[in-house]
């Protein structure tokens, strides 16, 4: 899993496999050809560099800490929570990710880039949790963004917020579906 620093049509996460298959800049025969290609593109500095670099360096660390604090549920446990009136699933993925990899029926779509706004006082998720007492159960593609979302939600006073460890990838595996 990688977090791109450039704007890739709104995608905020990818995988090494997806990039090798679909990124035209990786369709080269070696490191020197890649360096020559990139040096001749004259690209501006990536807008998301300050977000992407730390996210790429800390993958897995946030999820482990969130699990240690008891704020994570497995995909199998999450499946058992479907349909409960006290739980709301919150899909943090971008629209393109949802179209490409599917959704969990009934989940609320609240993309990660708008998280701070949504969990602040008066924000959609904050008000939903406060007015209904529902537990927010975040998920994303692989669990990294949802783990960061749980920490942010906890910091915003939403003490019942949890996330699905491993995200949609784990959800599909728990259902016996491939990738």
């Amino acid at each position: 899993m990688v977090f791109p620093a450039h704007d890739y049509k709104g995608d905020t996460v990818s995988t090494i496999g997806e990039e090798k298959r679909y990124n035209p800049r990786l369709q080269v025969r070696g490191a020197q050809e890649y360096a020559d290609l990139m040096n001749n593109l004259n690209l501006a500095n990536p807008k998301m560099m300050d977000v992407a670099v730390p996210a790429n360096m800390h993958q897995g660390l946030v999820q482990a800490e969130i699990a240690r604090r008891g704020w994570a549920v497995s995909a199998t446990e999450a499946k058992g929570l479907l349909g409960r009136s006290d739980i709301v699933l919150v899909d943090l993925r971008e629209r393109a990710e949802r179209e490409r990899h599917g959704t969990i029926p009934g989940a609320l779509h609240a993309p990660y880039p708008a998280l701070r706004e949504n969990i602040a006082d008066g924000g959609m998720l904050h008000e939903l949790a406060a007015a209904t007492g529902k537990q927010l159960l975040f998920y994303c593609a692989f669990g990294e963004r949802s783990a960061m979302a749980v920490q942010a939600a906890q910091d915003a006073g939403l003490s019942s917020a949890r996330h699905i460890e491993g995200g949609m990838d784990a959800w599909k595996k728990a259902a016996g579906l491939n990738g």
Side-chain angles (χ1 to χ4, degrees):
M1 184 169 68
V2 292
F3 296 90
H6 285 285
D7 181 8
Y8 288 105
K9 299 179 186 127
D11 287 349
T12 57
V13 68
S14 184
T15 65
I16 298 296
E18 281 182 302
E19 294 304 312
K20 283 182 175 179
R21 281 190 299 279
Y22 302 114
N23 188 331
R25 293 185 181 98
L26 296 182
Q27 308 303 313
V28 294
R29 290 183 290 279
Q32 188 58 51
E33 185 179 342
Y34 174 79
D36 292 342
L37 171 70
M38 295 306 291
N39 287 334
N40 291 321
L41 288 175
N42 298 318
L43 296 171
N45 287 333
K47 292 185 291 187
M48 298 293 291
M49 186 63 78
D50 60 333
V51 173
V53 170
N56 286 321
M57 292 176 66
H58 292 94
Q59 284 191 38
L61 299 177
V62 175
Q63 284 199 73
E65 180 60 20
I66 294 303
R68 188 187 68 73
R69 293 179 182 177
W71 300 338
V73 299
S74 72
T76 302
E77 291 170 317
K79 286 180 175 296
L81 299 174
L82 276 182
R84 282 189 31 184
S85 62
D86 60 333
I87 304 284
V88 62
L89 285 156
V90 181
D91 188 346
L92 297 169
R93 298 172 302 150
E94 301 292 329
R95 183 182 51 81
E97 292 176 271
R98 291 165 48 91
E99 290 171 359
R100 194 167 42 244
H101 300 291
T103 62
I104 298 174
L108 179 65
H109 184 217
Y112 185 78
L115 179 69
R116 293 271 176 219
E117 175 185 328
N118 283 326
I119 62 173
D121 276 339
M124 174 185 66
L125 296 176
H126 191 278
E127 294 306 309
L128 174 66
T132 66
K134 290 181 185 268
Q135 177 183 19
L136 302 176
L137 184 56
F138 294 111
Y139 74 95
C140 61
F142 298 97
E144 294 298 318
R145 287 170 288 177
S146 59
M148 291 185 288
V150 167
Q151 182 63 64
Q154 292 283 338
D155 292 346
L158 300 171
S159 62
S160 69
R162 302 289 183 269
H163 92 118
I164 300 175
E165 281 185 291
M168 189 66 169
D169 183 61
W171 181 272
K172 286 181 173 182
K173 288 175 181 170
L177 303 172
N178 293 328

